[in-house]
Amino acid sequence: MFVILTSKPGQYRTVPSADIELLEAWNYQFYGRVLAQFVLGRLLRETKVQVIEEDASGTVNAVPSKFLERFDTLAQAHAELQHLCNFGSLDAQLISVPLPQAATSA
């Protein structure tokens, strides 16, 4: 099973556990501004992901992976990203980026 982890700069970041094999990362740019980063991963077993608020509170939530949308194939996860990020003729695009440093060392 494949999952998409989402982080939004200035709002929150998602930190996977070692039970998610990270495969690729994409920045969602809207008129040149990065609004979100998506990391695609293979779910190796049920786990929890941390969602850390980037405000002064720094609240950390542990979200069970059973609440994440799942995809049978990586191609289906890619199709979902395209669906999330296409808005007709607006300047919105997905740009492949290296996996986040913190994620690759987890």
Side-chain angles (χ1 to χ4, degrees), residues 32-58:
R33 185 170 160 231
V34 175
L35 295 186
Q37 182 175 76
F38 300 108
V39 176
L40 279 64
R42 182 187 326 267
L43 184 63
L44 303 175
R45 65 190 58 79
E46 292 299 327
T47 189
K48 292 185 178 181
V49 294
Q50 289 186 339
V51 179
I52 303 170
E53 300 292 328
E54 292 187 339
D55 60 10
S57 73

Side-chain angles (χ1 to χ4, degrees), residues 14-29:
T14 304
V15 180
S17 74
D19 295 322
I20 299 176
E21 175 189 5
L22 303 181
L23 303 172
E24 53 190 60
W26 298 85
N27 279 350
Y28 168 63
Q29 288 189 356

Side-chain angles (χ1 to χ4, degrees), residues 3-105:
V3 295
I4 300 172
L5 304 176
T6 304
S7 296
K8 291 190 175 183
Q11 295 180 32
Y12 64 89
R13 69 182 189 279
T14 304
V15 180
S17 74
D19 295 322
I20 299 176
E21 175 189 5
L22 303 181
L23 303 172
E24 53 190 60
W26 298 85
N27 279 350
Y28 168 63
Q29 288 189 356
F30 187 74
Y31 286 91
R33 185 170 160 231
V34 175
L35 295 186
Q37 182 175 76
F38 300 108
V39 176
L40 279 64
R42 182 187 326 267
L43 184 63
L44 303 175
R45 65 190 58 79
E46 292 299 327
T47 189
K48 292 185 178 181
V49 294
Q50 289 186 339
V51 179
I52 303 170
E53 300 292 328
E54 292 187 339
D55 60 10
S57 73
T59 302
V60 177
N61 295 298
V63 179
S65 58
K66 68 181 180 180
F67 293 114
L68 301 175
E69 187 171 0
R70 298 167 188 226
F71 306 92
D72 290 328
T73 67
L74 191 55
Q76 289 174 336
H78 284 145
E80 179 64 14
L81 279 183
Q82 289 300 323
H83 174 74
L84 290 171
C85 298
N86 283 331
F87 299 105
S89 63
L90 296 178
D91 182 12
Q93 56 186 322
L94 286 171
I95 298 176
S96 179
V97 295
L99 288 170
Q101 286 299 327
T104 57
S105 62

